[in-house]
Amino acid sequence: MDTSRREAAALVPFYKKDDVYYFFLQLRDEGAPTDPGRIGFFGGGIEGEETPLEAVTRETKEELAIDITPFFFKTYSGLERTSHVFLLEVPERFKDSVTILEGEDGFFLSEEEANTNPKVIELERTILKEVSVFLKN
């Protein structure tokens, strides 16, 4: 791994209703080490010798109190971090099955809602656009 930038793993839970995809995002609390008060993905930094899959699985258990088996989508490399993005298809009532342990809240947004919400982190908007295209194909 490139140690000059932060390595992270992110989870994008989603469901489809009436041909629209909805994505479960986190409202980061004001004490978050990065992007406090913003809306982004659940997940976090890769620790030690973890693989991205091990990291996203651990982070999801820490943040949402669930065990998951996501599928890998894509790696995004930016100036400050490399994000390994995983997708997980979930039921519409997913929020009722998790316990939010980190962040202020979690909620579903469509790609359009994410694009118009100024609190959504720009990289997350970019990723959601690509995920939407992928899921529609």
Side-chain angles (χ1 to χ4, degrees):
M1 275 188 233
D2 179 359
T3 56
S4 65
R5 74 176 89 212
R6 182 171 180 253
E7 293 271 338
L11 180 68
V12 183
F14 69 92
Y15 74 88
K16 181 180 179 183
K17 181 177 181 179
D18 300 325
D19 290 327
V20 176
Y21 285 95
Y22 295 88
F23 305 98
F24 194 67
L25 301 172
Q26 176 192 59
L27 175 57
R28 301 177 61 75
D29 61 40
E30 291 301 324
T34 59
D35 298 306
R38 305 286 309 274
I39 297 170
F41 300 135
F42 286 90
I46 295 174
E47 298 178 356
E49 298 298 316
E50 279 184 321
T51 66
L53 178 59
E54 290 167 338
V56 76
T57 301
R58 174 186 50 76
E59 287 285 344
T60 302
K61 187 175 246 181
E62 291 173 2
E63 295 180 1
L64 296 172
I66 59 168
D67 289 311
I68 59 163
T69 306
F71 62 94
F72 177 72
F73 175 62
K74 189 174 178 179
T75 297
Y76 293 84
S77 292
L79 295 174
E80 296 179 9
R81 72 176 187 221
T82 296
S83 294
H84 306 278
V85 178
F86 292 82
L87 306 179
L88 180 68
E89 188 168 8
V90 298
E92 186 175 347
R93 296 187 57 93
F94 175 72
K95 184 173 180 177
D96 297 339
S97 67
V98 299
T99 303
I100 309 284
L101 299 172
E102 290 186 20
E104 286 186 35
D105 199 4
F107 46 85
F108 283 100
L109 292 176
S110 69
E111 177 194 353
E112 183 179 330
E113 291 168 330
N115 282 333
T116 59
N117 188 320
K119 286 190 168 193
V120 175
I121 299 165
E122 190 60 39
L123 178 59
E124 271 74 336
R125 283 192 191 119
T126 299
I127 293 170
L128 289 178
K129 286 178 192 175
E130 289 190 27
V131 169
S132 291
V133 169
F134 170 79
L135 292 173
K136 290 174 185 173
N137 290 325

